[in-house]
Amino acid sequence: MRLKQRLFLIFVLSAILMGAAGYFSLEIIRFAGTGFCPGMPGKDILIAPGSSLKSIAGKLESRGIISNRLYFVVLAKFKGADKKIQAGEYVLSGADTPEHILDILIKGRVKLYRLTIPEGLTMYETAALVEDSGMCSAEKFTRLCCDVKFIHSLGISAATLEGYLFPD
């Protein structure tokens, strides 16, 4: 009699666990294919290099891009995307499905800036154009243009990037 009770208890617990797993799977599928906030305009989201999946999901949830950070983490791990998310500045919207958002982050479809640099500008004039475009501050641009370590990492042996900033 004791064996029958144990088997019955194991059966009941197994059925409950399978039901819970099935429900959770359906919730993840529903989450993956449904936008959180239809009609929402895109928001700029910066994913820093080395960001963890949990921190990325938390950022997306706090900005109203996704509804549930845990579900996003599970979705990313299920798709094998947890280590493939690329750093960068993105424009993401809660109107997009989490599956589409994940695809954007994996493929690195970052925000693009359009900038035309007329010929003959100095490094400082170019820095002002870069700042006006919203890419970064003129001060940061100028600092990088004078950073010898950064310049050498580009394969250029010069003290500044003055003369190396061409319109093409």
Side-chain angles (χ1 to χ4, degrees):
M1 189 81 151
R2 203 150 165 78
L3 178 62
K4 286 183 181 181
Q5 288 175 337
R6 285 185 185 168
L7 288 175
F8 180 73
L9 183 60
I10 289 171
F11 174 75
V12 169
L13 289 175
S14 296
I16 290 171
L17 286 174
M18 287 174 43
Y23 175 78
F24 188 67
S25 297
L26 289 174
E27 278 292 297
I28 296 296
I29 291 167
R30 182 198 57 75
F31 169 80
T34 308
F36 175 54
C37 186
M40 174 190 210
K43 293 181 180 180
D44 288 353
I45 305 290
L46 181 64
I47 305 295
S51 295
S52 71
L53 178 58
K54 287 181 182 180
S55 71
I56 293 167
K59 182 179 282 193
L60 295 176
E61 184 181 49
S62 70
R63 297 289 310 273
I65 306 297
I66 60 170
S67 61
N68 189 311
R69 76 180 95 183
L70 173 64
Y71 286 8
F72 189 81
V73 168
V74 170
L75 176 67
K77 286 186 181 266
F78 176 75
K79 291 190 158 275
D82 52 327
K83 303 284 189 225
K84 296 178 184 174
I85 293 176
Q86 298 184 38
E89 184 179 356
Y90 295 89
V91 178
L92 301 173
S93 169
D96 292 330
T97 66
E99 195 163 32
H100 183 66
I101 291 167
L102 193 55
D103 188 55
I104 290 169
L105 296 175
I106 291 168
K107 291 182 178 169
R109 289 195 223 131
V110 294
K111 179 179 181 180
L112 299 177
Y113 291 87
R114 181 172 297 274
L115 175 65
T116 302
I117 302 172
E119 208 168 320
L121 293 186
T122 67
M123 175 174 63
Y124 300 101
E125 292 168 326
T126 303
L129 282 178
V130 168
E131 183 171 70
D132 290 344
S133 75
M135 279 191 236
C136 74
S137 70
E139 184 270 325
K140 182 176 181 179
F141 183 84
T142 305
R143 190 172 4 100
L144 281 173
C145 287
C146 296
D147 182 340
V148 176
K149 188 175 178 181
F150 173 72
I151 295 168
H152 289 170
S153 75
L154 299 174
I156 299 171
S157 54
T160 72
L161 288 178
E162 186 74 62
Y164 288 91
L165 303 171
F166 297 108
D168 12 306

